[in-house]
Amino acid sequence: MNKSQDAKFHAIETTDAIVGIDIAKNTHWAVIISPLGKVITKPFSFNNNKKGFKSLVENVKTSLIPMRFNNVIIGMEPTGHYWKCLARYLKEIEWIKVVTVNPKHVKDSKELDDNCQTKSDRKDCITIARIVKDARYFEPYLPEGIWAELRNMSNTRQEIVRKSISVKCRIIATIDEYFPEYIKVFKKIDSRTSMEILKECPFPEDIKLKGKEGLLMHIKQTVKRGYSRQQVIDIYDVAVDSIGTTEGIKTAKVQLDIYVEEQELLEKQIRRIEEQLEELLQETGYCENMISIKGIGIVSAAQLIGELGDLTRFKSYEQIRRYAGLNLVENSSGIHQGKTSISRRGRSTLRSILYRIAFTMVNQNEEMKQLYKYLKERKNNPLKSKQALIAVIGKVLQIIYTIVINNTKYEATRVFNLERLEQLKVA
């Protein structure tokens, strides 16, 4: 048993009662059990409002008066966002400890009591309470202050970026049908020159009507700087011999115009969010040290801190790796030796951010580039590309955690110890 699990069992031993709550949008269900698993009260419901929250607390107090209670653990599933208001309310009460349970554990455990796959709010709250009783719970992190602001902005950026990618795909799908040669000239569909052409004359007939000189003049006046004259000439030349369909072209223009307008709005929103992220990151005090690492920019650093919150709450960088679900797990039995893989039992958004950071650093940071190459090419146990990248993420986390905790800037000479430096030299 590890120290963390031992501490959980100790918390159960010193607790007078456990409350399991099945979270819903409007009405929650709760049950109170003893630390031994005996049901003290039948499941009862309460509304998702302040009056309902107060009634829950009063019910717990009334039920436990004969027991001279001191402390209560309240467990719940982190269902969507509905649990957060209740959890924050209960955290303010001194004698209540709020914990969460893995929804998968609840799903897998619901048949243990009655050997039946029936699912109901009354049944689920008992299952949750008994999972907590077995110390199989987690202490939730509810960011506050600047950390909450950063997480909100980070999540908003993720959402807007996903929308932007979806809109780009719709633009490309429309262009592929009516002007399939377009993408050969403008591989980056959202470049300034491309967007101006899509707004002014998106289809071959429009471009031919505009004429080569007219198209050049329009781009020169609107884009002004940074456009390629050759690209504009090339798009005119391919328009002359385009095989794109002309059926339904009138409504296709309206459709494309809407997509282009939406894409420009999304890009404007992303820029606004990134400005806000930079301001918030400055307030944390982490900004200067984190961006001293070559390969990590303002946006990447802000998104990472938005997901992690205050780094001082972690005892080591290994905890962060486990929090992201990047810890290694093995599937072996008897003489069978299974493959090692990452657990993926953590925050998927955090894994995505770390993957992008590591990918960028492998290309831009000389130290990470050397480590990545060594891990792939070493004689003993060479790693595949993705495996090597996961290993690099571990090193990146170690660096970030160290410079933040020690309040120091990145120093390339201190990245590797002597043993690793010798390995890199040999490689």
Side-chain angles (χ1 to χ4, degrees):
M1 185 188 301
N2 59 39
K3 291 181 179 179
S4 175
Q5 195 71 10
D6 189 48
K8 290 177 184 179
F9 273 113
H10 180 71
I12 299 294
E13 290 168 0
T14 57
T15 297
D16 293 300
I18 296 163
V19 180
I21 299 178
D22 185 58
I23 297 292
K25 182 175 182 179
N26 299 313
T27 305
H28 310 309
W29 279 83
V31 70
I32 305 173
I33 68 171
S34 72
L36 296 177
K38 181 181 177 181
V39 175
I40 297 174
T41 65
K42 290 182 179 180
F44 59 90
S45 64
F46 63 97
N47 293 327
N48 186 30
N49 53 40
K50 194 167 186 178
K51 186 179 178 181
F53 295 172
K54 286 182 176 179
S55 72
L56 167 69
V57 176
E58 287 304 315
N59 273 342
V60 174
K61 277 184 179 180
T62 304
S63 301
L64 298 179
I65 284 175
M67 302 174 61
R68 298 179 181 178
F69 76 94
N70 293 310
N71 299 296
V72 172
I73 294 180
I74 296 184
M76 61 190 78
E77 284 181 286
T79 306
H81 55 273
Y82 301 124
W83 67 284
K84 293 181 180 179
C85 294
L86 176 59
R88 289 188 184 278
Y89 178 86
L90 295 174
K91 276 188 72 177
E92 299 301 316
I93 302 173
E94 187 178 352
W95 48 274
I96 290 177
K97 179 178 182 178
V98 178
V99 300
T100 58
V101 298
N102 190 323
K104 187 177 186 300
H105 295 172
V106 178
K107 183 179 179 181
D108 293 344
S109 304
K110 67 183 178 183
E111 296 182 36
L112 293 178
D113 291 332
D114 57 6
N115 195 34
C116 179
Q117 64 267 43
T118 300
K119 184 188 186 305
S120 68
D121 296 337
R122 292 169 179 262
K123 181 178 176 180
D124 284 355
C125 63
I126 296 175
T127 303
I128 291 167
R130 286 182 172 151
I131 290 173
V132 175
K133 183 263 297 183
D134 293 333
R136 304 187 188 283
Y137 62 80
F138 305 93
E139 296 188 20
Y141 172 63
L142 292 168
E144 299 174 354
I146 187 64
W147 315 112
E149 305 287 358
L150 258 175
R151 177 167 287 189
N152 282 344
M153 275 292 96
S154 177
N155 290 341
T156 304
R157 186 183 183 278
Q158 292 273 356
E159 180 186 350
I160 300 300
V161 167
R162 281 195 293 268
K163 286 183 180 178
S164 176
I165 292 170
S166 176
V167 172
K168 285 179 192 176
C169 289
R170 292 201 292 270
I171 291 173
I172 291 171
T174 305
I175 289 295
D176 281 346
E177 183 177 355
Y178 291 92
F179 194 176
E181 299 83 4
Y182 189 91
I183 203 70
K184 296 177 182 177
V185 178
F186 290 104
K187 291 181 172 57
K188 191 177 179 183
I189 200 78
D190 58 340
S191 68
R192 288 179 63 198
T193 306
S194 172
M195 293 297 278
E196 282 300 330
I197 290 175
L198 291 177
K199 284 193 290 186
E200 181 70 15
C201 43
F203 299 138
E205 290 303 317
D206 303 316
I207 290 176
K208 285 188 282 186
L209 192 64
K210 190 82 172 174
K212 187 182 293 185
E213 293 303 320
L215 186 61
L216 281 166
M217 182 63 67
H218 174 73
I219 295 300
K220 186 177 181 180
Q221 290 174 347
T222 53
V223 179
K224 294 180 181 178
R225 283 184 174 185
Y227 76 92
S228 168
R229 179 184 174 86
Q230 188 58 49
Q231 266 189 322
V232 180
I233 294 171
D234 289 344
I235 201 66
Y236 178 83
D237 292 340
V238 297
V240 173
D241 297 316
S242 177
I243 58 168
T245 184
T246 56
E247 299 301 327
I249 198 164
K250 184 177 180 180
T251 50
K253 285 181 182 177
V254 176
Q255 185 183 44
L256 188 62
D257 189 52
I258 291 170
Y259 292 157
V260 170
E261 186 178 327
E262 185 178 1
Q263 178 60 22
E264 289 186 328
L265 174 62
L266 291 170
E267 287 177 355
K268 183 180 178 182
Q269 290 173 342
I270 290 171
R271 288 193 296 270
R272 179 183 172 188
I273 291 167
E274 289 178 350
E275 289 172 3
Q276 187 68 36
L277 280 172
E278 183 173 359
E279 290 178 17
L280 292 170
L281 185 64
Q282 292 284 357
E283 290 183 41
T284 65
Y286 294 168
C287 183
E288 193 174 342
N289 291 334
M290 286 193 68
I291 63 173
S292 69
I293 305 172
K294 190 173 181 181
I296 297 183
I298 292 285
V299 174
S300 297
Q303 285 188 294
L304 182 61
I305 299 304
E307 276 296 300
L308 291 174
D310 187 358
L311 263 65
T312 59
R313 70 190 181 94
F314 295 99
K315 293 180 180 178
S316 67
Y317 78 93
E318 285 94 346
Q319 277 193 339
I320 302 176
R321 186 161 60 183
R322 182 175 289 274
Y323 186 65
L326 290 168
N327 53 303
L328 299 180
V329 294
E330 184 182 329
N331 184 18
S332 301
S333 178
I335 61 172
H336 170 71
Q337 190 71 24
K339 291 184 178 180
T340 300
S341 61
I342 58 172
S343 70
R344 291 188 172 85
R345 291 288 193 272
R347 296 184 66 84
S348 58
T349 303
L350 178 56
R351 285 199 302 276
S352 176
I353 293 168
L354 287 169
Y355 186 88
R356 290 198 299 271
I357 288 174
F359 187 83
T360 303
M361 289 186 70
V362 161
N363 286 281
Q364 297 182 7
N365 186 292
E366 193 59 39
E367 292 73 47
M368 293 304 106
K369 189 184 295 184
Q370 289 177 7
L371 177 60
Y372 180 70
K373 184 181 178 183
Y374 163 74
L375 292 171
K376 290 206 316 178
E377 298 177 358
R378 63 188 180 185
K379 291 181 181 179
N380 296 325
N381 188 29
L383 302 180
K384 295 179 181 179
S385 297
K386 198 165 185 179
Q387 292 174 320
L389 199 61
I390 297 297
V392 168
I393 288 175
K395 187 63 181 178
V396 170
L397 279 175
Q398 185 181 14
I399 293 169
I400 291 172
Y401 183 78
T402 301
I403 66 169
V404 168
I405 296 300
N406 296 333
N407 192 22
T408 184
K409 287 189 173 57
Y410 178 79
E411 294 180 37
T413 55
R414 298 180 64 184
V415 172
F416 302 121
N417 57 29
L418 292 175
E419 183 182 354
R420 179 65 83 187
L421 284 171
E422 288 300 319
Q423 291 172 338
L424 294 174
K425 285 178 182 178
V426 172

